[in-house]
Amino acid sequence: MANIKDVAERAGVSVATVSRVLNGRSPVAETRDRVLAAVAELGYRPNVVARALRTARTRTLGLVISDLRNPFFTELADAVEQEARRLGYSLIIGNAGESPEQQDDYIRTLLDRRIDGLMVSSAGTGSAMLREVVSRDTPLVLLDRAVPGIAAPCVRAEGRQALTDLAAHLAALGRRRPAVIVAPAGTPIGEERLELFRTALAGQRIALPEERIVSSPDLSPTGGQRMMRALLDLPEPPDAVLATDNLMALGALDEVRARGLRIPGDVALVAFDDVAWFAHTDPPLTAVAQPTRELGRAAVHTLLERIEGRAAPSVLLPAQLVPRRSCGEQPEPSHWRGAAHDRRQ
Amino acid sequence: MANIKDVAERAGVSVATVSRVLNGRSPVAETRDRVLAAVAELGYRPNVVARALRTARTRTLGLVISDLRNPFFTELADAVEQEARRLGYSLIIGNAGESPEQQDDYIRTLLDRRIDGLMVSSAGTGSAMLREVVSRDTPLVLLDRAVPGIAAPCVRAEGRQALTDLAAHLAALGRRRPAVIVAPAGTPIGEERLELFRTALAGQRIALPEERIVSSPDLSPTGGQRMMRALLDLPEPPDAVLATDNLMALGALDEVRARGLRIPGDVALVAFDDVAWFAHTDPPLTAVAQPTRELGRAAVHTLLERIEGRAAPSVLLPAQLVPRRSCGEQPEPSHWRGAAHDRRQ
DNA sequence: GCGGCTCAGGTAATCGATTACACGGGCGAC
DNA sequence: GTCGCCCGTGTAATCGATTACCTGAGCCGC
């Protein structure tokens, strides 16, 4: 493969001149044309490895996601990747599979590869490597999940308005015994969703007693199904259930079906996270949609700010209620958006 | 950040010695210990960029996938990533979004980054960059989709046995008017599935007339839905439909539901590709399961063979029928495997 | 007419590793 | 005792770019 020296020889100039032409610095039209001609003839492409060594910038970002097989994260990763690419960066994606050890292992690899910046949707909270990233001051952005003690901007969605709308929606449909299936203990974001929902319900004068709050051991359909079973076995079972993650919602749906109960007739079901599949379940599931692609884009922008040495604030984007049919039918207040059938950018 | 020179100074040896210790060549125990101590004290990590420049190996693989948001490819990407990682390679994933231009653009970027090898599940067939990859002889493996004219090993699944089982399954359940929704014209793999299914049906003395073969304009739920609409509008509508891709199957399911028809009562539905969600639809969908994770692993192994300069044959792994309830109930012949509820490795 | 300024472009240092080659000391063989 | 070999280690070239610094030509002003 041709290198810069070959180009220089062919154009009858020095390597410095070639480099300057290619980086848009100074040289005069006539020289420039000769260089560009040589580049074209040889099919020359700069060696990014050599460039990275010299400039200490790889134009590569890292993304460590907690579970790639969760469709929410898949879409997030896709959005991040597209935006990074649009801005001239490559992306290395690591899948931590909800394991803090694997996550640390990944971060290590990414640091070794001298990525310019890192985005992490952290599994667990006490990551030693995250601390290392901060202390090395490699630009870092937390995605979807804040981590206590890690001083880095966090990009995530917040459900206050959506959950307020949801409480109103449920109240209007006559639901009086709500329940919540929350994420495993220790994931701060689950707690927050629970609290916001509780407050929203209070605004409708609906109580959310402790026995109707169950915490799944993991973010999986199996966990969701077990929790739904527990709820339906209650002496006074709920008439509406919110699952704080899409996979748990899916398991919950299975359990309702397995019992031969009907949605929304016997129990309403709402998922936090709106994934494309929810429009295709039977019935289509009402969901709290996070602005997934916007989150991805915002994460990249925030990270680039950090990379360029500027301060960057955390970003909190509003989630929105997407009412479908799993709670019953109700005319939509005008500020709800319609369906989210195709959220592709 | 500490570099090899710092380590050398601290250990009182030359950089060559440090390098040799770290690469497991020669030096004697006592020196070795001093070097390792210095490495530990300084928290030294080799600069992989510098190493890549010198050795011309990046220990990075590239994967260009035709659509990351298709759960089949997500799982494939995840499997590839895990295996690559296990063998000490990083992976850069590119999402071509079924666009040949974007695919070429990606391949370009990956070549620029001097990846050691490339895996591509190609969108479309006439890729100029794929040709370039071959002519540069960068190790290449085609994934899931062969490309005519590109001399590279191809790793994919083959459905002969599964489709034979499917034909028997449908025959046993009394289905006599099968139909197929195939992938867009030009994707060789869709054609193959169609042919295998036709042959299998013939073995059961069931005909597959042309009017019951419809070709979707794209691999999407919308395309699948439109095709199902066409099939159901036929004067003699089918009593069993095979969709050759999971997204099209999903759209087909929507259409059946929208018409208030029942599955399997009114029409049976089978998907090619088994994705986790199919176990959760109503009814759970019978599917032809590709051995997705095995495909991913095989692709990585094949690629590494090529990277190490050895010849590597194409790999053809058998798909398997996973009967659920969307064709009706039938006792299972013993060679069918059970459900594929959790195919995570 | 000459000093000095501008500017294109060349020379060479540099990034951080790997590795070919050189060197010197110890040791075995004769 | 000397020759030569082996082995451990150091010196320096190298990968392919970027870029600080220098040089020399052209031009302007006084």
Side-chain angles (χ1 to χ4, degrees), chain B residues 76-103:
Chain B
L76 192 57
D78 185 45
V80 166
E81 199 276 342
Q82 269 188 26
E83 189 67 2
R85 169 172 188 64
R86 200 176 66 78
L87 297 169
Y89 283 80
S90 293
L91 184 73
I92 303 186
I93 301 177
N95 182 11
E98 299 285 0
S99 140
E101 298 75 43
Q102 209 174 324
Q103 172 176 308

CSV table of all heavy atoms in Angstrom, one decimal, chain B residues 76-103:
chain,number,residue,atom,x,y,z
B,76,LEU,N,-26.6,-11.9,16.2
B,76,LEU,CA,-25.4,-12.3,15.4
B,76,LEU,C,-24.2,-11.4,15.8
B,76,LEU,O,-23.1,-11.9,16.1
B,76,LEU,CB,-25.7,-12.2,13.9
B,76,LEU,CG,-24.7,-12.8,12.9
B,76,LEU,CD1,-24.5,-14.3,13.2
B,76,LEU,CD2,-25.2,-12.6,11.5
B,77,ALA,N,-24.4,-10.1,15.8
B,77,ALA,CA,-23.4,-9.2,16.2
B,77,ALA,C,-22.9,-9.4,17.6
B,77,ALA,O,-21.7,-9.4,17.8
B,77,ALA,CB,-23.9,-7.7,16.0
B,78,ASP,N,-23.8,-9.7,18.5
B,78,ASP,CA,-23.4,-9.9,19.9
B,78,ASP,C,-22.5,-11.2,19.9
B,78,ASP,O,-21.5,-11.2,20.6
B,78,ASP,CB,-24.7,-10.1,20.7
B,78,ASP,CG,-24.4,-10.3,22.2
B,78,ASP,OD1,-23.5,-9.5,22.7
B,78,ASP,OD2,-24.9,-11.2,22.8
B,79,ALA,N,-22.9,-12.2,19.2
B,79,ALA,CA,-22.2,-13.5,19.2
B,79,ALA,C,-20.8,-13.3,18.7
B,79,ALA,O,-19.8,-13.7,19.2
B,79,ALA,CB,-22.9,-14.6,18.5
B,80,VAL,N,-20.7,-12.5,17.6
B,80,VAL,CA,-19.4,-12.3,16.9
B,80,VAL,C,-18.5,-11.5,17.9
B,80,VAL,O,-17.3,-11.8,18.1
B,80,VAL,CB,-19.6,-11.4,15.6
B,80,VAL,CG1,-18.3,-10.8,15.2
B,80,VAL,CG2,-20.2,-12.3,14.5
B,81,GLU,N,-19.1,-10.5,18.5
B,81,GLU,CA,-18.4,-9.7,19.4
B,81,GLU,C,-17.8,-10.5,20.6
B,81,GLU,O,-16.6,-10.3,20.9
B,81,GLU,CB,-19.3,-8.5,19.9
B,81,GLU,CG,-18.6,-7.3,20.5
B,81,GLU,CD,-18.2,-7.6,21.9
B,81,GLU,OE1,-18.8,-8.5,22.5
B,81,GLU,OE2,-17.4,-6.8,22.4
B,82,GLN,N,-18.6,-11.3,21.2
B,82,GLN,CA,-18.1,-12.1,22.3
B,82,GLN,C,-17.0,-13.0,21.9
B,82,GLN,O,-16.0,-13.1,22.7
B,82,GLN,CB,-19.3,-12.9,22.9
B,82,GLN,CG,-20.1,-12.3,24.0
B,82,GLN,CD,-21.0,-13.2,24.6
B,82,GLN,OE1,-20.9,-14.4,24.6
B,82,GLN,NE2,-22.1,-12.6,25.2
B,83,GLU,N,-17.1,-13.6,20.8
B,83,GLU,CA,-16.1,-14.6,20.4
B,83,GLU,C,-14.8,-13.9,20.0
B,83,GLU,O,-13.7,-14.3,20.4
B,83,GLU,CB,-16.6,-15.4,19.2
B,83,GLU,CG,-15.7,-16.6,18.8
B,83,GLU,CD,-15.7,-17.7,19.9
B,83,GLU,OE1,-16.4,-17.5,20.9
B,83,GLU,OE2,-14.9,-18.6,19.7
B,84,ALA,N,-14.9,-12.8,19.3
B,84,ALA,CA,-13.8,-12.0,19.0
B,84,ALA,C,-13.0,-11.6,20.2
B,84,ALA,O,-11.8,-11.7,20.4
B,84,ALA,CB,-14.2,-10.8,18.2
B,85,ARG,N,-13.8,-11.1,21.2
B,85,ARG,CA,-13.2,-10.6,22.4
B,85,ARG,C,-12.5,-11.8,23.2
B,85,ARG,O,-11.4,-11.6,23.7
B,85,ARG,CB,-14.4,-10.1,23.2
B,85,ARG,CG,-14.0,-9.8,24.6
B,85,ARG,CD,-15.2,-9.1,25.3
B,85,ARG,NE,-14.8,-8.7,26.6
B,85,ARG,CZ,-13.8,-7.9,26.8
B,85,ARG,NH1,-13.2,-7.3,25.7
B,85,ARG,NH2,-13.4,-7.6,28.0
B,86,ARG,N,-13.2,-12.9,23.2
B,86,ARG,CA,-12.6,-14.1,23.9
B,86,ARG,C,-11.2,-14.4,23.3
B,86,ARG,O,-10.3,-14.9,24.0
B,86,ARG,CB,-13.5,-15.3,23.7
B,86,ARG,CG,-13.3,-16.4,24.7
B,86,ARG,CD,-14.4,-17.4,24.5
B,86,ARG,NE,-14.2,-18.2,23.2
B,86,ARG,CZ,-13.3,-19.1,23.0
B,86,ARG,NH1,-12.5,-19.5,24.0
B,86,ARG,NH2,-13.3,-19.7,21.8
B,87,LEU,N,-11.1,-14.1,22.0
B,87,LEU,CA,-9.8,-14.5,21.3
B,87,LEU,C,-8.9,-13.3,21.3
B,87,LEU,O,-7.9,-13.3,20.5
B,87,LEU,CB,-10.1,-15.0,19.9
B,87,LEU,CG,-11.0,-16.3,20.0
B,87,LEU,CD1,-11.5,-16.7,18.6
B,87,LEU,CD2,-10.1,-17.5,20.6
B,88,GLY,N,-9.2,-12.3,22.0
B,88,GLY,CA,-8.2,-11.1,22.1
B,88,GLY,C,-8.4,-10.1,21.0
B,88,GLY,O,-7.5,-9.3,20.8
B,89,TYR,N,-9.5,-10.1,20.3
B,89,TYR,CA,-9.7,-9.1,19.3
B,89,TYR,C,-10.8,-8.1,19.7
B,89,TYR,O,-11.7,-8.5,20.4
B,89,TYR,CB,-10.1,-9.7,18.0
B,89,TYR,CG,-8.9,-10.3,17.2
B,89,TYR,CD1,-8.4,-11.6,17.6
B,89,TYR,CD2,-8.3,-9.7,16.2
B,89,TYR,CE1,-7.3,-12.1,17.0
B,89,TYR,CE2,-7.2,-10.2,15.5
B,89,TYR,CZ,-6.7,-11.5,15.9
B,89,TYR,OH,-5.6,-12.0,15.3
B,90,SER,N,-10.6,-6.9,19.3
B,90,SER,CA,-11.7,-5.9,19.5
B,90,SER,C,-12.5,-5.9,18.2
B,90,SER,O,-12.1,-6.3,17.1
B,90,SER,CB,-11.2,-4.5,19.7
B,90,SER,OG,-10.6,-4.4,21.0
B,91,LEU,N,-13.8,-5.4,18.3
B,91,LEU,CA,-14.6,-5.4,17.1
B,91,LEU,C,-15.2,-4.0,16.8
B,91,LEU,O,-15.7,-3.4,17.8
B,91,LEU,CB,-15.8,-6.4,17.3
B,91,LEU,CG,-16.7,-6.6,16.1
B,91,LEU,CD1,-16.0,-7.4,15.0
B,91,LEU,CD2,-18.0,-7.3,16.6
B,92,ILE,N,-15.1,-3.6,15.6
B,92,ILE,CA,-15.8,-2.3,15.2
B,92,ILE,C,-17.0,-2.8,14.4
B,92,ILE,O,-16.9,-3.4,13.4
B,92,ILE,CB,-14.9,-1.4,14.5
B,92,ILE,CG1,-13.7,-1.0,15.3
B,92,ILE,CG2,-15.7,-0.1,14.1
B,92,ILE,CD1,-12.8,0.0,14.6
B,93,ILE,N,-18.2,-2.4,14.9
B,93,ILE,CA,-19.4,-2.8,14.2
B,93,ILE,C,-19.9,-1.6,13.3
B,93,ILE,O,-20.0,-0.5,13.8
B,93,ILE,CB,-20.5,-3.2,15.2
B,93,ILE,CG1,-20.1,-4.3,16.1
B,93,ILE,CG2,-21.8,-3.5,14.5
B,93,ILE,CD1,-21.1,-4.7,17.1
B,94,GLY,N,-20.3,-1.9,12.1
B,94,GLY,CA,-20.9,-0.9,11.3
B,94,GLY,C,-22.2,-1.3,10.8
B,94,GLY,O,-22.4,-2.5,10.5
B,95,ASN,N,-23.2,-0.4,10.8
B,95,ASN,CA,-24.5,-0.7,10.4
B,95,ASN,C,-24.9,-0.1,9.1
B,95,ASN,O,-24.9,1.1,8.9
B,95,ASN,CB,-25.5,-0.2,11.5
B,95,ASN,CG,-26.9,-0.5,11.2
B,95,ASN,OD1,-27.2,-1.3,10.3
B,95,ASN,ND2,-27.8,0.1,11.9
B,96,ALA,N,-25.1,-1.0,8.1
B,96,ALA,CA,-25.3,-0.5,6.7
B,96,ALA,C,-26.7,-0.1,6.5
B,96,ALA,O,-27.0,0.5,5.4
B,96,ALA,CB,-24.8,-1.5,5.7
B,97,GLY,N,-27.6,-0.4,7.4
B,97,GLY,CA,-29.0,-0.1,7.2
B,97,GLY,C,-29.5,-0.5,5.8
B,97,GLY,O,-30.3,0.2,5.2
B,98,GLU,N,-29.1,-1.7,5.3
B,98,GLU,CA,-29.5,-2.2,4.0
B,98,GLU,C,-29.2,-1.3,2.9
B,98,GLU,O,-29.8,-1.4,1.8
B,98,GLU,CB,-31.0,-2.6,4.0
B,98,GLU,CG,-31.5,-3.6,5.1
B,98,GLU,CD,-31.1,-5.0,4.7
B,98,GLU,OE1,-30.5,-5.3,3.7
B,98,GLU,OE2,-31.4,-5.9,5.5
B,99,SER,N,-28.3,-0.4,3.0
B,99,SER,CA,-27.9,0.5,1.9
B,99,SER,C,-26.5,0.1,1.4
B,99,SER,O,-25.5,0.3,2.2
B,99,SER,CB,-28.0,1.9,2.3
B,99,SER,OG,-26.9,2.7,1.8
B,100,PRO,N,-26.4,-0.2,0.2
B,100,PRO,CA,-25.1,-0.6,-0.4
B,100,PRO,C,-24.1,0.5,-0.3
B,100,PRO,O,-22.9,0.3,-0.1
B,100,PRO,CB,-25.4,-1.0,-1.8
B,100,PRO,CG,-26.8,-1.4,-1.8
B,100,PRO,CD,-27.4,-0.5,-0.8
B,101,GLU,N,-24.5,1.8,-0.5
B,101,GLU,CA,-23.6,2.9,-0.4
B,101,GLU,C,-23.0,3.0,1.0
B,101,GLU,O,-21.8,3.2,1.1
B,101,GLU,CB,-24.3,4.2,-0.8
B,101,GLU,CG,-24.8,4.3,-2.2
B,101,GLU,CD,-26.1,3.5,-2.3
B,101,GLU,OE1,-26.9,3.6,-1.4
B,101,GLU,OE2,-26.3,2.7,-3.3
B,102,GLN,N,-23.9,3.0,1.9
B,102,GLN,CA,-23.4,3.1,3.3
B,102,GLN,C,-22.5,1.9,3.6
B,102,GLN,O,-21.5,2.1,4.3
B,102,GLN,CB,-24.6,3.1,4.3
B,102,GLN,CG,-24.3,3.9,5.5
B,102,GLN,CD,-25.6,4.0,6.4
B,102,GLN,OE1,-26.7,4.2,5.9
B,102,GLN,NE2,-25.4,4.0,7.7
B,103,GLN,N,-22.8,0.8,3.1
B,103,GLN,CA,-21.9,-0.4,3.4
B,103,GLN,C,-20.5,-0.1,2.8
B,103,GLN,O,-19.5,-0.4,3.5
B,103,GLN,CB,-22.5,-1.6,2.7
B,103,GLN,CG,-21.6,-2.8,2.7
B,103,GLN,CD,-22.3,-4.0,2.1
B,103,GLN,OE1,-23.4,-4.4,2.5
B,103,GLN,NE2,-21.7,-4.7,1.1
